[in-house]
Amino acid sequence: MISVRDGQNHILARIDRLRPPEHVPLVAALGRVLAEDARAPFDVPPTDNSAVDGYAVGSADIPESGRQALTVVGDLPAGAVFTGVLAAGQAIRIMTGAPMPAGADTVYPQEDVERAGEQVLVPPIAKGANVRRRGEDVTAGAVVIAAGTVLRPQELGLLASLGQSQVLVRQRPRVALLSTGDEVAEPGTPRRPGQIYDANRFTLRGLVEQCGGLVLDLGIVPDRHEALRARLLEAGRVADVVITSGGVSVGVYDLVKAVLGEIGGVDFWQVAMQPGRPLAVGRIGQAHFFGLPGNPVASTLTFLLFVRPALYKLAGRQRLFPDCWQARAAEPMRKKTGRREFKRGVLRLADGGWEVRTTGPQGSGILSSMVAGNCLIVLEEERGDVRPGELVTVEPFTGPA
Ligand code: AMP
Ligand code: MG
């Protein structure tokens, strides 16, 4: 029996080759992983500029008290540049974002002044007020986004502000998915007595896509040695990662281990966790192989724990594990020491603090427990039963980021 942490380390240690990066248009780069540090080619903003609509003045003209009359010598919309130099006793009307004219270092918001013909009456103000400094967002040469970062909308905006229309990103890992089992039927087709509809391939597809992977759907394979062998060989040729569900327990029809032993290499693990104990990890040719358990909750959970960090690493991501939080248990929870247990939970803010309860029955076939929940409750190996009010670790189910 191995621990969750040892299993994760073992898997990650085997991933050392990534696909080469590719250029994509910025408009198609949402969710992709940056392949090289992005550096600023110039200061952002490129010049000192006004933070408000108002009047730019030289600080020598700011009165200590009362009002000072200044002559308005021009109008500067955003994008216009004043080529002259503002002289003593002069002000210039300026719009948000317009570069500061030479001779000016302070801007009055227009609501703080009184305009009278060609003159403007200005009160006391702090020197330098309402000016955005050159480079205050980003200085030239600085790394603004590190390699390995997932591009969210705000990263796309920042890259665009640096003038980029293309970006170098990691190729998406190609992930072949297949379900095993004579009893597993394709949704949308008739279901014979004794059959169940395939749930896992659809959960797993969503998970792979959320992780930035490209899904190659290889369908359902019956519990026949030759069929499984042929399909897995094909999967190993076309994919970087091959994921199956089912067929890894100890039943007579659980063929994954035997087939993998012939065509690749497989380590069959009993992981000290609940649910999701049996797991097959190995390779087919160049592809990484994950044989996940058949029970829907167990396959989802083992994906999150073992496949997700592997896909993240293959995708060139810097961060491989999600953030965890702590919350107070709102109810007692049964827990056996010596293994890591994962319950599906509902995390909510209650009376000013985070509180978590389970979603109810926690059987590893009860997929609706994942639907009802918004987080995993992670109960560490050494922990025993949890009493209400104790702090527990929670890992929110997160979206694509
Ligand atoms: P197995 O490990 O193949 O014995 O599967 C364990 C349990 O998970 C059995 O009850 C299977 O019917 C069920 N199962 C296997 N594959 C799937 C699937 N793709 N979708 C839903 N349930 C499945
Ligand atoms: Mg099966």
Side-chain angles (χ1 to χ4, degrees):
M1 194 92 93
I2 68 168
S3 71
V4 171
R5 182 49 49 87
D6 284 350
Q8 288 169 330
N9 289 339
H10 201 80
I11 288 165
L12 291 174
R14 281 192 190 160
I15 296 174
D16 47 9
R17 276 174 303 106
L18 307 189
R19 284 177 173 268
E22 60 182 354
H23 283 282
V24 298
L26 197 58
V27 293
L30 185 64
R32 302 297 296 270
V33 179
L34 194 64
E36 61 181 2
D37 288 345
R39 286 177 189 276
F42 47 74
D43 290 331
V44 180
T47 59
D48 291 355
N49 66 88
S50 178
V52 294
D53 291 339
Y55 291 85
V57 304
S59 51
D61 283 332
I62 299 172
E64 296 214 338
S65 61
R67 309 257 213 117
Q68 169 80 32
L70 301 173
T71 306
V72 179
V73 296
D75 215 330
L76 265 190
V81 176
F82 185 66
T83 47
V85 179
L86 208 62
Q90 294 183 333
I92 194 160
R93 190 160 149 74
I94 193 166
M95 295 295 135
T96 306
M100 290 294 285
D105 58 13
T106 302
V107 182
Y108 284 96
Q110 74 188 19
E111 54 275 22
D112 291 358
V113 305
E114 201 178 307
R115 180 79 186 253
E118 293 307 296
Q119 301 237 294
V120 64
L121 293 171
V122 301
I125 194 174
K127 177 180 173 179
N130 302 310
V131 176
R132 301 194 286 221
R133 297 282 165 209
R134 169 182 180 161
E136 73 175 19
D137 187 357
V138 174
T139 51
V143 172
V144 288
I145 309 173
T149 302
V150 180
L151 299 175
R152 300 171 299 172
Q154 54 268 50
E155 277 83 22
L156 299 181
L158 185 54
L159 291 170
S161 78
L162 304 178
Q164 275 185 240
S165 63
Q166 299 251 314
V167 60
L168 190 68
V169 296
R170 286 280 157 201
Q171 284 185 47
R172 298 178 191 277
R174 284 149 206 268
V175 183
L177 276 184
L178 56 99
S179 296
T180 72
D182 288 337
E183 80 283 25
V184 181
E186 184 70 29
T189 68
R191 183 169 59 107
R192 292 195 310 273
Q195 283 197 308
I196 55 163
Y197 280 123
D198 190 352
N200 296 346
R201 216 164 87 252
F202 296 85
T203 313
L204 293 169
R205 165 186 279 270
L207 289 165
V208 168
E209 288 179 346
Q210 276 192 340
C211 289
L214 271 179
V215 173
L216 309 166
D217 189 341
L218 298 188
I220 302 167
V221 198
D223 290 318
R224 279 191 292 110
H225 195 103
E226 281 316 306
L228 186 59
R229 181 190 164 100
R231 200 76 64 93
L232 284 177
L233 278 172
E234 180 196 348
R237 275 193 298 273
V238 296
D240 303 312
V241 174
V242 178
I243 302 175
T244 64
S245 69
V248 291
S249 2
V250 288
V252 187
Y253 295 102
D254 293 328
L255 300 169
V256 169
K257 184 184 173 192
V259 171
L260 252 291
E262 290 171 23
I263 65 171
V266 65
D267 297 322
F268 186 67
W269 293 352
Q270 299 284 341
V271 184
M273 63 184 277
Q274 162 68 32
R277 201 164 76 142
L279 180 70
V281 176
R283 68 230 135 256
I284 312 170
Q286 301 291 312
H288 301 277
F289 174 79
F290 296 92
L292 306 184
N295 278 309
V297 174
S299 63
T300 303
L301 187 62
T302 48
F303 180 96
L304 292 174
L305 291 174
F306 301 106
V307 186
R308 183 171 61 184
L311 286 183
Y312 279 180
K313 188 168 180 190
L314 277 168
R317 288 206 198 199
Q318 215 169 36
R319 293 194 49 220
L320 305 183
F321 294 100
D323 286 327
C324 289
W325 313 92
Q326 281 199 316
R328 298 212 172 274
E331 62 184 37
M333 297 175 200
R334 307 285 295 170
K335 166 69 171 63
K336 278 203 190 130
T337 55
R339 68 187 192 187
R340 188 169 280 230
E341 290 187 22
F342 298 85
K343 298 184 191 293
R344 275 68 66 208
V346 180
L347 178 66
R348 65 178 200 122
L349 198 57
D351 305 325
W354 289 103
E355 164 189 294
V356 68
R357 60 181 64 250
T358 67
T359 53
Q362 295 286 305
S364 65
I366 301 179
L367 190 51
S368 55
S369 70
M370 299 281 317
V371 173
N374 61 6
C375 69
L376 290 175
I377 304 169
V378 184
L379 301 177
E380 292 81 0
E381 284 80 351
E382 59 283 3
R383 186 149 201 166
D385 288 343
V386 176
R387 287 190 304 274
E390 281 183 28
L391 282 177
V392 293
T393 303
V394 293
E395 188 186 305
F397 295 153
T398 42

